[in-house]
Amino acid sequence: MEENVASLLKKNGIKATPQRLAIYNILKNTKSHPSAETIYKGLSKQFPTMSLATVYKTLGLLSRIGLIQEINVGEDSFRYDANTAPHPHIVCLKCKRVDDVGGYDVPQSYDTIAKNTHYKILSHQLYFYGYCPECKKGE
Amino acid sequence: MEENVASLLKKNGIKATPQRLAIYNILKNTKSHPSAETIYKGLSKQFPTMSLATVYKTLGLLSRIGLIQEINVGEDSFRYDANTAPHPHIVCLKCKRVDDVGGYDVPQSYDTIAKNTHYKILSHQLYFYGYCPECKKGE
DNA sequence: ATATAAAAGATATTAATTATTCATTGATAA
DNA sequence: TTATCAATGAATAATTAATATCTTTTATAT
Ligand SMILES: [Mn+2]
Ligand SMILES: [Mn+2]
Ligand SMILES: [Zn+2]
Ligand SMILES: [Zn+2]
């Protein structure tokens, strides 16, 4: 898996540096949809000299070659996800937690919508908003 | 219609200023989902002294009392819509145009998703991405 | 008409992100 | 193993959307 990423980077003429692999692995091994800042902090022990600019550059790079996706929940900063398949997300309005949603997604055939809008449709994003299990206790 | 808005503002203890009514009317009379900046420019002839801060403050206010909704298409800035009902949008990846989508929306019962996620769900947003009729010509 | 609290306008500030520069380091191919 | 070219890190600056601050103006109730 990590091997795959390294070779995929090389195939694109991009060097497989430890920083890049570490950033990708963080995303691959979490369900928390972290922000650039969160990833940066999470790597500070392993890479004390890691630059925040490197994190941003790497996230942009990985997005560009389709290894991760950028998701925008509407507040503050971007979140990142190693699951590049279209899938819905749910956002806690209080603590800003972002989770995956199972059990529902938009039909993958865009034909009807394309006919109605006359757009050529490539992708979609579906977001739900509400209160997570923790935050809904305090209403 | 404009009368309604003015009285609704007053009912909430909010002053019905010409600037606020003008901003609301722009949104009520367009299908283009303008940004704060676009609204600001659109009012510059009618209100040469209008401050951009006033536009932002008013848009926040109108959103808060439910007269308009804020939509986030994932790029650059927020867009605003006087149609406060949940409805999907489609975004042109090239020219950033935002249109309404007819013929499809998420089922309004959140029961299944609530059961799966254990969230209390309040709302959703559905965005499609692609190329508008104009931009898809140049592929 | 007047008083008053709210809002407007002007300006400054915040904060995420991107960009620039440049010396040092290191991944990769030969 | 070595040379090369890309990437890192550090420091700093630029962007840009959005907010905050403060003084002046004004909508509204009396
Ligand atoms: Mn996800
Ligand atoms: Mn709309
Ligand atoms: Zn929460
Ligand atoms: Zn377009």
mmCIF file of all heavy atoms in Angstrom, chain B residues 19 40 47-57, chain C residues 7-13, chain D residues 18-25:
data_model
loop_
_atom_site.group_PDB
_atom_site.id
_atom_site.type_symbol
_atom_site.label_atom_id
_atom_site.label_comp_id
_atom_site.label_asym_id
_atom_site.label_seq_id
_atom_site.Cartn_x
_atom_site.Cartn_y
_atom_site.Cartn_z
ATOM 1 N N GLN B 19 -29.877 50.215 2.622
ATOM 2 C CA GLN B 19 -28.819 49.284 2.223
ATOM 3 C C GLN B 19 -29.272 47.844 2.380
ATOM 4 O O GLN B 19 -29.060 47.014 1.497
ATOM 5 C CB GLN B 19 -27.563 49.520 3.078
ATOM 6 C CG GLN B 19 -26.857 50.846 2.837
ATOM 7 C CD GLN B 19 -27.375 51.954 3.726
ATOM 8 O OE1 GLN B 19 -28.502 51.870 4.252
ATOM 9 N NE2 GLN B 19 -26.594 52.995 3.907
ATOM 10 N N TYR B 40 -21.592 43.849 -3.713
ATOM 11 C CA TYR B 40 -20.986 45.150 -3.426
ATOM 12 C C TYR B 40 -20.794 45.953 -4.704
ATOM 13 O O TYR B 40 -21.190 47.118 -4.792
ATOM 14 C CB TYR B 40 -19.656 44.919 -2.714
ATOM 15 C CG TYR B 40 -18.836 46.149 -2.478
ATOM 16 C CD1 TYR B 40 -19.289 47.164 -1.639
ATOM 17 C CD2 TYR B 40 -17.598 46.302 -3.092
ATOM 18 C CE1 TYR B 40 -18.515 48.294 -1.416
ATOM 19 C CE2 TYR B 40 -16.819 47.422 -2.877
ATOM 20 C CZ TYR B 40 -17.290 48.418 -2.045
ATOM 21 O OH TYR B 40 -16.532 49.529 -1.823
ATOM 22 N N PHE B 47 -25.426 53.037 -4.491
ATOM 23 C CA PHE B 47 -24.920 53.460 -3.185
ATOM 24 C C PHE B 47 -23.404 53.658 -3.265
ATOM 25 O O PHE B 47 -22.646 52.771 -2.863
ATOM 26 C CB PHE B 47 -25.227 52.412 -2.119
ATOM 27 C CG PHE B 47 -26.681 52.242 -1.808
ATOM 28 C CD1 PHE B 47 -27.464 51.352 -2.529
ATOM 29 C CD2 PHE B 47 -27.279 52.987 -0.796
ATOM 30 C CE1 PHE B 47 -28.807 51.190 -2.236
ATOM 31 C CE2 PHE B 47 -28.625 52.821 -0.504
ATOM 32 C CZ PHE B 47 -29.398 51.932 -1.225
ATOM 33 N N PRO B 48 -22.975 54.810 -3.751
ATOM 34 C CA PRO B 48 -21.539 55.016 -3.961
ATOM 35 C C PRO B 48 -20.734 54.934 -2.662
ATOM 36 O O PRO B 48 -19.542 54.657 -2.694
ATOM 37 C CB PRO B 48 -21.459 56.424 -4.561
ATOM 38 C CG PRO B 48 -22.836 56.711 -5.072
ATOM 39 C CD PRO B 48 -23.761 55.978 -4.157
ATOM 40 N N THR B 49 -21.376 55.144 -1.535
ATOM 41 C CA THR B 49 -20.621 55.121 -0.278
ATOM 42 C C THR B 49 -20.789 53.799 0.469
ATOM 43 O O THR B 49 -20.305 53.667 1.584
ATOM 44 C CB THR B 49 -21.073 56.267 0.646
ATOM 45 O OG1 THR B 49 -22.426 56.024 1.047
ATOM 46 C CG2 THR B 49 -20.982 57.609 -0.050
ATOM 47 N N MET B 50 -21.475 52.865 -0.159
ATOM 48 C CA MET B 50 -21.689 51.573 0.503
ATOM 49 C C MET B 50 -20.345 50.940 0.882
ATOM 50 O O MET B 50 -19.432 50.855 0.074
ATOM 51 C CB MET B 50 -22.454 50.643 -0.435
ATOM 52 C CG MET B 50 -22.462 49.195 -0.020
ATOM 53 S SD MET B 50 -23.766 48.781 1.149
ATOM 54 C CE MET B 50 -25.212 48.876 0.081
ATOM 55 N N SER B 51 -20.281 50.478 2.110
ATOM 56 C CA SER B 51 -19.060 49.825 2.580
ATOM 57 C C SER B 51 -19.169 48.318 2.413
ATOM 58 O O SER B 51 -20.230 47.727 2.616
ATOM 59 C CB SER B 51 -18.837 50.162 4.054
ATOM 60 O OG SER B 51 -17.796 49.387 4.590
ATOM 61 N N LEU B 52 -18.051 47.710 2.048
ATOM 62 C CA LEU B 52 -18.049 46.252 1.897
ATOM 63 C C LEU B 52 -18.382 45.580 3.225
ATOM 64 O O LEU B 52 -19.044 44.544 3.263
ATOM 65 C CB LEU B 52 -16.693 45.785 1.380
ATOM 66 C CG LEU B 52 -16.545 44.306 1.030
ATOM 67 C CD1 LEU B 52 -17.575 43.862 0.007
ATOM 68 C CD2 LEU B 52 -15.147 44.024 0.510
ATOM 69 N N ALA B 53 -17.960 46.198 4.320
ATOM 70 C CA ALA B 53 -18.278 45.650 5.640
ATOM 71 C C ALA B 53 -19.787 45.599 5.865
ATOM 72 O O ALA B 53 -20.295 44.659 6.469
ATOM 73 C CB ALA B 53 -17.600 46.473 6.732
ATOM 74 N N THR B 54 -20.474 46.606 5.372
ATOM 75 C CA THR B 54 -21.935 46.617 5.499
ATOM 76 C C THR B 54 -22.560 45.462 4.733
ATOM 77 O O THR B 54 -23.508 44.834 5.197
ATOM 78 C CB THR B 54 -22.495 47.959 4.986
ATOM 79 O OG1 THR B 54 -21.965 49.008 5.788
ATOM 80 C CG2 THR B 54 -24.012 47.982 5.064
ATOM 81 N N VAL B 55 -22.006 45.178 3.562
ATOM 82 C CA VAL B 55 -22.513 44.051 2.786
ATOM 83 C C VAL B 55 -22.334 42.761 3.576
ATOM 84 O O VAL B 55 -23.269 41.969 3.720
ATOM 85 C CB VAL B 55 -21.798 43.955 1.422
ATOM 86 C CG1 VAL B 55 -22.263 42.727 0.655
ATOM 87 C CG2 VAL B 55 -22.049 45.217 0.605
ATOM 88 N N TYR B 56 -21.143 42.543 4.096
ATOM 89 C CA TYR B 56 -20.896 41.322 4.870
ATOM 90 C C TYR B 56 -21.788 41.255 6.102
ATOM 91 O O TYR B 56 -22.363 40.219 6.420
ATOM 92 C CB TYR B 56 -19.427 41.249 5.292
ATOM 93 C CG TYR B 56 -18.531 40.656 4.243
ATOM 94 C CD1 TYR B 56 -17.647 41.444 3.530
ATOM 95 C CD2 TYR B 56 -18.564 39.290 3.956
ATOM 96 C CE1 TYR B 56 -16.817 40.887 2.566
ATOM 97 C CE2 TYR B 56 -17.742 38.731 2.996
ATOM 98 C CZ TYR B 56 -16.867 39.539 2.305
ATOM 99 O OH TYR B 56 -16.041 38.993 1.346
ATOM 100 N N LYS B 57 -21.893 42.374 6.813
ATOM 101 C CA LYS B 57 -22.722 42.374 8.016
ATOM 102 C C LYS B 57 -24.177 42.082 7.679
ATOM 103 O O LYS B 57 -24.856 41.313 8.364
ATOM 104 C CB LYS B 57 -22.596 43.720 8.751
ATOM 105 C CG LYS B 57 -21.343 43.817 9.619
ATOM 106 C CD LYS B 57 -21.315 45.105 10.446
ATOM 107 C CE LYS B 57 -20.776 46.270 9.629
ATOM 108 N NZ LYS B 57 -20.466 47.462 10.477
ATOM 109 P P DA C 7 -29.195 47.293 14.037
ATOM 110 O OP1 DA C 7 -30.256 46.523 13.356
ATOM 111 O OP2 DA C 7 -28.156 46.606 14.822
ATOM 112 O "O5'" DA C 7 -28.503 48.217 12.948
ATOM 113 C "C5'" DA C 7 -29.307 49.190 12.278
ATOM 114 C "C4'" DA C 7 -28.446 50.010 11.345
ATOM 115 O "O4'" DA C 7 -27.662 50.946 12.119
ATOM 116 C "C3'" DA C 7 -27.452 49.196 10.522
ATOM 117 O "O3'" DA C 7 -27.545 49.626 9.176
ATOM 118 C "C2'" DA C 7 -26.099 49.516 11.150
ATOM 119 C "C1'" DA C 7 -26.319 50.926 11.672
ATOM 120 N N9 DA C 7 -25.489 51.307 12.805
ATOM 121 C C8 DA C 7 -25.251 50.594 13.946
ATOM 122 N N7 DA C 7 -24.461 51.204 14.803
ATOM 123 C C5 DA C 7 -24.167 52.405 14.181
ATOM 124 C C6 DA C 7 -23.383 53.512 14.564
ATOM 125 N N6 DA C 7 -22.729 53.573 15.728
ATOM 126 N N1 DA C 7 -23.304 54.551 13.703
ATOM 127 C C2 DA C 7 -23.962 54.488 12.540
ATOM 128 N N3 DA C 7 -24.738 53.505 12.073
ATOM 129 C C4 DA C 7 -24.794 52.490 12.945
ATOM 130 P P DA C 8 -26.599 49.132 8.058
ATOM 131 O OP1 DA C 8 -27.452 48.921 6.872
ATOM 132 O OP2 DA C 8 -25.736 48.063 8.579
ATOM 133 O "O5'" DA C 8 -25.706 50.424 7.784
ATOM 134 C "C5'" DA C 8 -26.350 51.638 7.419
ATOM 135 C "C4'" DA C 8 -25.300 52.690 7.082
ATOM 136 O "O4'" DA C 8 -24.579 53.019 8.284
ATOM 137 C "C3'" DA C 8 -24.255 52.234 6.071
ATOM 138 O "O3'" DA C 8 -24.000 53.304 5.177
ATOM 139 C "C2'" DA C 8 -23.048 51.866 6.916
ATOM 140 C "C1'" DA C 8 -23.198 52.783 8.117
ATOM 141 N N9 DA C 8 -22.740 52.214 9.389
ATOM 142 C C8 DA C 8 -23.041 50.989 9.909
ATOM 143 N N7 DA C 8 -22.501 50.754 11.086
ATOM 144 C C5 DA C 8 -21.801 51.917 11.359
ATOM 145 C C6 DA C 8 -21.002 52.303 12.461
ATOM 146 N N6 DA C 8 -20.793 51.527 13.533
ATOM 147 N N1 DA C 8 -20.436 53.524 12.415
ATOM 148 C C2 DA C 8 -20.658 54.295 11.344
ATOM 149 N N3 DA C 8 -21.388 54.045 10.249
ATOM 150 C C4 DA C 8 -21.936 52.834 10.327
ATOM 151 P P DG C 9 -23.154 53.075 3.897
ATOM 152 O OP1 DG C 9 -23.671 53.994 2.856
ATOM 153 O OP2 DG C 9 -23.058 51.632 3.665
ATOM 154 O "O5'" DG C 9 -21.730 53.609 4.376
ATOM 155 C "C5'" DG C 9 -21.619 54.964 4.817
ATOM 156 C "C4'" DG C 9 -20.200 55.234 5.256
ATOM 157 O "O4'" DG C 9 -19.965 54.614 6.550
ATOM 158 C "C3'" DG C 9 -19.120 54.686 4.316
ATOM 159 O "O3'" DG C 9 -18.150 55.706 4.126
ATOM 160 C "C2'" DG C 9 -18.546 53.491 5.078
ATOM 161 C "C1'" DG C 9 -18.752 53.890 6.527
ATOM 162 N N9 DG C 9 -18.918 52.809 7.492
ATOM 163 C C8 DG C 9 -19.640 51.650 7.324
ATOM 164 N N7 DG C 9 -19.620 50.864 8.373
ATOM 165 C C5 DG C 9 -18.842 51.554 9.290
ATOM 166 C C6 DG C 9 -18.470 51.197 10.607
ATOM 167 O O6 DG C 9 -18.768 50.191 11.268
ATOM 168 N N1 DG C 9 -17.663 52.179 11.202
ATOM 169 C C2 DG C 9 -17.279 53.349 10.585
ATOM 170 N N2 DG C 9 -16.503 54.161 11.301
ATOM 171 N N3 DG C 9 -17.624 53.689 9.344
ATOM 172 C C4 DG C 9 -18.399 52.743 8.759
ATOM 173 P P DA C 10 -17.021 55.497 3.056
ATOM 174 O OP1 DA C 10 -16.978 56.751 2.282
ATOM 175 O OP2 DA C 10 -17.165 54.194 2.387
ATOM 176 O "O5'" DA C 10 -15.716 55.432 3.980
ATOM 177 C "C5'" DA C 10 -15.546 56.399 5.008
ATOM 178 C "C4'" DA C 10 -14.363 55.994 5.879
ATOM 179 O "O4'" DA C 10 -14.795 54.986 6.820
ATOM 180 C "C3'" DA C 10 -13.203 55.390 5.094
ATOM 181 O "O3'" DA C 10 -11.996 56.043 5.470
ATOM 182 C "C2'" DA C 10 -13.213 53.915 5.459
ATOM 183 C "C1'" DA C 10 -13.858 53.938 6.844
ATOM 184 N N9 DA C 10 -14.586 52.715 7.164
ATOM 185 C C8 DA C 10 -15.398 51.971 6.332
ATOM 186 N N7 DA C 10 -15.917 50.913 6.896
ATOM 187 C C5 DA C 10 -15.436 50.954 8.197
ATOM 188 C C6 DA C 10 -15.620 50.100 9.305
ATOM 189 N N6 DA C 10 -16.395 49.011 9.277
ATOM 190 N N1 DA C 10 -14.993 50.432 10.451
ATOM 191 C C2 DA C 10 -14.221 51.533 10.485
ATOM 192 N N3 DA C 10 -13.964 52.408 9.494
ATOM 193 C C4 DA C 10 -14.606 52.051 8.377
ATOM 194 P P DT C 11 -10.626 55.645 4.780
ATOM 195 O OP1 DT C 11 -9.796 56.865 4.720
ATOM 196 O OP2 DT C 11 -10.907 54.853 3.563
ATOM 197 O "O5'" DT C 11 -9.980 54.662 5.858
ATOM 198 C "C5'" DT C 11 -10.068 54.995 7.245
ATOM 199 C "C4'" DT C 11 -9.660 53.799 8.076
ATOM 200 O "O4'" DT C 11 -10.734 52.834 8.119
ATOM 201 C "C3'" DT C 11 -8.438 53.040 7.545
ATOM 202 O "O3'" DT C 11 -7.377 53.181 8.471
ATOM 203 C "C2'" DT C 11 -8.924 51.606 7.371
ATOM 204 C "C1'" DT C 11 -10.163 51.565 8.251
ATOM 205 N N1 DT C 11 -11.189 50.557 7.859
ATOM 206 C C2 DT C 11 -11.631 49.664 8.806
ATOM 207 O O2 DT C 11 -11.214 49.662 9.949
ATOM 208 N N3 DT C 11 -12.569 48.775 8.363
ATOM 209 C C4 DT C 11 -13.110 48.696 7.093
ATOM 210 O O4 DT C 11 -13.950 47.857 6.820
ATOM 211 C C5 DT C 11 -12.609 49.668 6.148
ATOM 212 C C7 DT C 11 -13.125 49.672 4.749
ATOM 213 C C6 DT C 11 -11.687 50.539 6.568
ATOM 214 P P DA C 12 -5.996 52.402 8.272
ATOM 215 O OP1 DA C 12 -4.933 53.291 8.780
ATOM 216 O OP2 DA C 12 -5.943 51.865 6.900
ATOM 217 O "O5'" DA C 12 -6.147 51.182 9.292
ATOM 218 C "C5'" DA C 12 -6.700 51.427 10.580
ATOM 219 C "C4'" DA C 12 -6.814 50.123 11.348
ATOM 220 O "O4'" DA C 12 -7.940 49.358 10.870
ATOM 221 C "C3'" DA C 12 -5.591 49.206 11.240
ATOM 222 O "O3'" DA C 12 -5.312 48.685 12.534
ATOM 223 C "C2'" DA C 12 -6.037 48.135 10.246
ATOM 224 C "C1'" DA C 12 -7.525 48.048 10.521
ATOM 225 N N9 DA C 12 -8.354 47.624 9.395
ATOM 226 C C8 DA C 12 -8.356 48.124 8.125
ATOM 227 N N7 DA C 12 -9.215 47.562 7.318
ATOM 228 C C5 DA C 12 -9.847 46.620 8.125
ATOM 229 C C6 DA C 12 -10.875 45.689 7.866
ATOM 230 N N6 DA C 12 -11.463 45.555 6.676
ATOM 231 N N1 DA C 12 -11.261 44.896 8.892
ATOM 232 C C2 DA C 12 -10.673 45.040 10.085
ATOM 233 N N3 DA C 12 -9.694 45.883 10.445
ATOM 234 C C4 DA C 12 -9.327 46.648 9.408
ATOM 235 P P DT C 13 -4.112 47.654 12.766
ATOM 236 O OP1 DT C 13 -3.559 47.905 14.101
ATOM 237 O OP2 DT C 13 -3.253 47.699 11.557
ATOM 238 O "O5'" DT C 13 -4.864 46.241 12.798
ATOM 239 C "C5'" DT C 13 -6.037 46.124 13.590
ATOM 240 C "C4'" DT C 13 -6.566 44.708 13.489
ATOM 241 O "O4'" DT C 13 -7.327 44.567 12.271
ATOM 242 C "C3'" DT C 13 -5.475 43.636 13.456
ATOM 243 O "O3'" DT C 13 -5.762 42.701 14.466
ATOM 244 C "C2'" DT C 13 -5.589 43.036 12.052
ATOM 245 C "C1'" DT C 13 -7.036 43.327 11.689
ATOM 246 N N1 DT C 13 -7.317 43.443 10.225
ATOM 247 C C2 DT C 13 -8.364 42.722 9.685
ATOM 248 O O2 DT C 13 -9.059 41.973 10.348
ATOM 249 N N3 DT C 13 -8.570 42.912 8.341
ATOM 250 C C4 DT C 13 -7.833 43.740 7.502
ATOM 251 O O4 DT C 13 -8.119 43.826 6.304
ATOM 252 C C5 DT C 13 -6.756 44.460 8.119
ATOM 253 C C7 DT C 13 -5.903 45.372 7.289
ATOM 254 C C6 DT C 13 -6.555 44.282 9.433
ATOM 255 P P DA D 18 -16.133 34.981 2.389
ATOM 256 O OP1 DA D 18 -16.764 33.670 2.562
ATOM 257 O OP2 DA D 18 -16.730 36.002 1.534
ATOM 258 O "O5'" DA D 18 -15.894 35.584 3.842
ATOM 259 C "C5'" DA D 18 -15.193 34.782 4.782
ATOM 260 C "C4'" DA D 18 -14.862 35.618 5.992
ATOM 261 O "O4'" DA D 18 -13.916 36.644 5.643
ATOM 262 C "C3'" DA D 18 -16.050 36.340 6.641
ATOM 263 O "O3'" DA D 18 -16.214 35.806 7.938
ATOM 264 C "C2'" DA D 18 -15.646 37.809 6.634
ATOM 265 C "C1'" DA D 18 -14.136 37.730 6.495
ATOM 266 N N9 DA D 18 -13.507 38.891 5.877
ATOM 267 C C8 DA D 18 -13.786 39.446 4.657
ATOM 268 N N7 DA D 18 -13.044 40.496 4.363
ATOM 269 C C5 DA D 18 -12.219 40.629 5.469
ATOM 270 C C6 DA D 18 -11.199 41.552 5.780
ATOM 271 N N6 DA D 18 -10.836 42.552 4.965
ATOM 272 N N1 DA D 18 -10.571 41.409 6.976
ATOM 273 C C2 DA D 18 -10.943 40.411 7.789
ATOM 274 N N3 DA D 18 -11.880 39.475 7.599
ATOM 275 C C4 DA D 18 -12.487 39.650 6.406
ATOM 276 P P DT D 19 -17.417 36.255 8.894
ATOM 277 O OP1 DT D 19 -17.978 35.046 9.456
ATOM 278 O OP2 DT D 19 -18.248 37.232 8.176
ATOM 279 O "O5'" DT D 19 -16.692 37.033 10.082
ATOM 280 C "C5'" DT D 19 -15.377 37.434 9.905
ATOM 281 C "C4'" DT D 19 -14.796 38.039 11.160
ATOM 282 O "O4'" DT D 19 -13.907 39.087 10.707
ATOM 283 C "C3'" DT D 19 -15.747 38.733 12.114
ATOM 284 O "O3'" DT D 19 -15.189 38.657 13.423
ATOM 285 C "C2'" DT D 19 -15.827 40.152 11.533
ATOM 286 C "C1'" DT D 19 -14.403 40.363 11.047
ATOM 287 N N1 DT D 19 -14.269 41.235 9.847
ATOM 288 C C2 DT D 19 -13.277 42.185 9.857
ATOM 289 O O2 DT D 19 -12.526 42.349 10.802
ATOM 290 N N3 DT D 19 -13.208 42.955 8.729
ATOM 291 C C4 DT D 19 -14.002 42.858 7.608
ATOM 292 O O4 DT D 19 -13.840 43.605 6.647
ATOM 293 C C5 DT D 19 -15.029 41.839 7.649
ATOM 294 C C7 DT D 19 -15.948 41.654 6.488
ATOM 295 C C6 DT D 19 -15.106 41.082 8.756
ATOM 296 P P DA D 20 -15.961 39.296 14.698
ATOM 297 O OP1 DA D 20 -15.755 38.386 15.844
ATOM 298 O OP2 DA D 20 -17.315 39.714 14.312
ATOM 299 O "O5'" DA D 20 -15.087 40.609 14.969
ATOM 300 C "C5'" DA D 20 -13.676 40.475 15.053
ATOM 301 C "C4'" DA D 20 -13.048 41.835 15.369
ATOM 302 O "O4'" DA D 20 -12.947 42.611 14.148
ATOM 303 C "C3'" DA D 20 -13.848 42.681 16.352
ATOM 304 O "O3'" DA D 20 -12.917 43.293 17.240
ATOM 305 C "C2'" DA D 20 -14.553 43.707 15.471
ATOM 306 C "C1'" DA D 20 -13.565 43.871 14.321
ATOM 307 N N9 DA D 20 -14.147 44.225 13.031
ATOM 308 C C8 DA D 20 -15.189 43.599 12.404
ATOM 309 N N7 DA D 20 -15.490 44.112 11.233
ATOM 310 C C5 DA D 20 -14.586 45.146 11.082
ATOM 311 C C6 DA D 20 -14.379 46.089 10.055
ATOM 312 N N6 DA D 20 -15.106 46.131 8.936
ATOM 313 N N1 DA D 20 -13.389 46.990 10.218
ATOM 314 C C2 DA D 20 -12.658 46.935 11.341
ATOM 315 N N3 DA D 20 -12.756 46.107 12.371
ATOM 316 C C4 DA D 20 -13.755 45.228 12.180
ATOM 317 P P DT D 21 -13.444 44.160 18.490
ATOM 318 O OP1 DT D 21 -12.610 43.734 19.626
ATOM 319 O OP2 DT D 21 -14.920 44.078 18.574
ATOM 320 O "O5'" DT D 21 -13.044 45.646 18.081
ATOM 321 C "C5'" DT D 21 -11.811 45.868 17.418
ATOM 322 C "C4'" DT D 21 -11.678 47.339 17.057
ATOM 323 O "O4'" DT D 21 -12.224 47.569 15.735
ATOM 324 C "C3'" DT D 21 -12.407 48.298 17.992
ATOM 325 O "O3'" DT D 21 -11.591 49.436 18.209
ATOM 326 C "C2'" DT D 21 -13.672 48.662 17.213
ATOM 327 C "C1'" DT D 21 -13.135 48.654 15.775
ATOM 328 N N1 DT D 21 -14.140 48.420 14.716
ATOM 329 C C2 DT D 21 -14.037 49.146 13.553
ATOM 330 O O2 DT D 21 -13.172 49.984 13.375
ATOM 331 N N3 DT D 21 -15.001 48.867 12.609
ATOM 332 C C4 DT D 21 -16.022 47.947 12.711
ATOM 333 O O4 DT D 21 -16.816 47.781 11.804
ATOM 334 C C5 DT D 21 -16.073 47.218 13.960
ATOM 335 C C7 DT D 21 -17.150 46.206 14.173
ATOM 336 C C6 DT D 21 -15.140 47.493 14.877
ATOM 337 P P DC D 22 -11.881 50.407 19.480
ATOM 338 O OP1 DC D 22 -10.583 50.654 20.136
ATOM 339 O OP2 DC D 22 -13.046 49.902 20.248
ATOM 340 O "O5'" DC D 22 -12.327 51.755 18.747
ATOM 341 C "C5'" DC D 22 -11.544 52.271 17.672
ATOM 342 C "C4'" DC D 22 -12.330 53.312 16.898
ATOM 343 O "O4'" DC D 22 -13.215 52.660 15.955
ATOM 344 C "C3'" DC D 22 -13.227 54.213 17.785
ATOM 345 O "O3'" DC D 22 -13.069 55.561 17.382
ATOM 346 C "C2'" DC D 22 -14.632 53.700 17.480
ATOM 347 C "C1'" DC D 22 -14.486 53.283 16.020
ATOM 348 N N1 DC D 22 -15.509 52.306 15.546
ATOM 349 C C2 DC D 22 -15.932 52.364 14.208
ATOM 350 O O2 DC D 22 -15.434 53.205 13.464
ATOM 351 N N3 DC D 22 -16.871 51.486 13.783
ATOM 352 C C4 DC D 22 -17.382 50.583 14.627
ATOM 353 N N4 DC D 22 -18.300 49.738 14.154
ATOM 354 C C5 DC D 22 -16.970 50.510 15.995
ATOM 355 C C6 DC D 22 -16.037 51.389 16.411
ATOM 356 P P DT D 23 -13.471 56.742 18.410
ATOM 357 O OP1 DT D 23 -12.222 57.241 19.039
ATOM 358 O OP2 DT D 23 -14.602 56.298 19.249
ATOM 359 O "O5'" DT D 23 -14.001 57.859 17.402
ATOM 360 C "C5'" DT D 23 -13.369 58.012 16.129
ATOM 361 C "C4'" DT D 23 -14.405 58.341 15.067
ATOM 362 O "O4'" DT D 23 -15.190 57.164 14.759
ATOM 363 C "C3'" DT D 23 -15.403 59.425 15.481
ATOM 364 O "O3'" DT D 23 -15.433 60.434 14.472
ATOM 365 C "C2'" DT D 23 -16.736 58.693 15.597
ATOM 366 C "C1'" DT D 23 -16.541 57.551 14.612
ATOM 367 N N1 DT D 23 -17.387 56.353 14.863
ATOM 368 C C2 DT D 23 -18.107 55.816 13.808
ATOM 369 O O2 DT D 23 -18.080 56.281 12.685
ATOM 370 N N3 DT D 23 -18.853 54.709 14.135
ATOM 371 C C4 DT D 23 -18.959 54.104 15.375
ATOM 372 O O4 DT D 23 -19.669 53.117 15.541
ATOM 373 C C5 DT D 23 -18.190 54.721 16.424
ATOM 374 C C7 DT D 23 -18.256 54.153 17.794
ATOM 375 C C6 DT D 23 -17.451 55.800 16.117
ATOM 376 P P DT D 24 -16.427 61.715 14.650
ATOM 377 O OP1 DT D 24 -15.696 62.903 14.153
ATOM 378 O OP2 DT D 24 -17.015 61.708 16.008
ATOM 379 O "O5'" DT D 24 -17.579 61.375 13.593
ATOM 380 C "C5'" DT D 24 -17.204 61.030 12.247
ATOM 381 C "C4'" DT D 24 -18.447 60.637 11.469
ATOM 382 O "O4'" DT D 24 -19.002 59.401 11.992
ATOM 383 C "C3'" DT D 24 -19.578 61.673 11.507
ATOM 384 O "O3'" DT D 24 -20.064 61.832 10.186
ATOM 385 C "C2'" DT D 24 -20.604 61.051 12.442
ATOM 386 C "C1'" DT D 24 -20.388 59.563 12.204
ATOM 387 N N1 DT D 24 -20.745 58.649 13.319
ATOM 388 C C2 DT D 24 -21.544 57.548 13.055
ATOM 389 O O2 DT D 24 -21.975 57.296 11.950
ATOM 390 N N3 DT D 24 -21.803 56.750 14.143
ATOM 391 C C4 DT D 24 -21.368 56.944 15.448
ATOM 392 O O4 DT D 24 -21.668 56.148 16.331
ATOM 393 C C5 DT D 24 -20.553 58.110 15.655
ATOM 394 C C7 DT D 24 -20.041 58.417 17.023
ATOM 395 C C6 DT D 24 -20.286 58.903 14.587
ATOM 396 P P DT D 25 -21.275 62.851 9.905
ATOM 397 O OP1 DT D 25 -20.970 63.517 8.621
ATOM 398 O OP2 DT D 25 -21.570 63.656 11.123
ATOM 399 O "O5'" DT D 25 -22.489 61.836 9.659
ATOM 400 C "C5'" DT D 25 -22.284 60.749 8.746
ATOM 401 C "C4'" DT D 25 -23.486 59.833 8.790
ATOM 402 O "O4'" DT D 25 -23.568 59.153 10.070
ATOM 403 C "C3'" DT D 25 -24.841 60.514 8.585
ATOM 404 O "O3'" DT D 25 -25.520 59.806 7.562
ATOM 405 C "C2'" DT D 25 -25.542 60.387 9.940
ATOM 406 C "C1'" DT D 25 -24.913 59.109 10.486
ATOM 407 N N1 DT D 25 -24.879 58.925 11.969
ATOM 408 C C2 DT D 25 -25.437 57.799 12.518
ATOM 409 O O2 DT D 25 -25.989 56.943 11.853
ATOM 410 N N3 DT D 25 -25.330 57.705 13.886
ATOM 411 C C4 DT D 25 -24.725 58.612 14.741
ATOM 412 O O4 DT D 25 -24.692 58.414 15.945
ATOM 413 C C5 DT D 25 -24.160 59.773 14.106
ATOM 414 C C7 DT D 25 -23.493 60.811 14.927
ATOM 415 C C6 DT D 25 -24.259 59.880 12.755
#
